[in-house]
Amino acid sequence: MALTEIHSNEYGKVEADPGNGLIKVTWLQHTSGAPFRELYGEALCHARAAGITLWLHDMRKLSYALIAEQNWAVKDHFPAFDLTKRHRLAYVVRPQSLDLIPDTLIQEAIRKDPALAGSIEMEVFLDMEVAEHWLFL
């Protein structure tokens, strides 16, 4: 994987490998609210412009996800994807945070929205290599 840094700040960084259709968001410290949404906004702009559909999220520095972030992801962030394409999203979390990352709530919201259900597949992993392998299946 040949990643090139696209954007970074004190909270996280966005890297891309357009040749493999991959964007990676790595959180460097816990955050929520505007910084959370801004970093994902940068990633989404680049992903749309480059036609990227594989997302690798390194969430190991995030302790939990707020309800507001969950709602934002399902109502604003995911619908802004190019829904004519198939997207795969892999989230890597720490074992201590597994119960605090509401993947089942978000996955259920995706399943209930026909536009998202047909375009977005999401999984949560504890191991980066396993997540990368799943993305490229």
Side-chain angles (χ1 to χ4, degrees), residues 69-79 105-107 109-110 113 116:
E69 263 61 86
Q70 298 169 49
N71 289 333
W72 170 81
V74 173
K75 292 181 180 171
D76 297 318
H77 183 64
F78 295 149
L105 296 174
I106 293 174
Q107 288 172 328
I110 289 170
D113 183 320
L116 297 180

Side-chain angles (χ1 to χ4, degrees), residues 27 29-31 59-66 93-102:
W27 293 99
Q29 64 176 305
H30 184 78
T31 190
M59 311 279 284
R60 293 176 289 188
K61 298 281 180 152
L62 289 182
S63 301
Y64 54 85
L66 297 173
V93 301
R94 295 179 299 142
Q96 305 90 319
S97 301
L98 188 58
D99 293 336
L100 302 173
I101 302 294

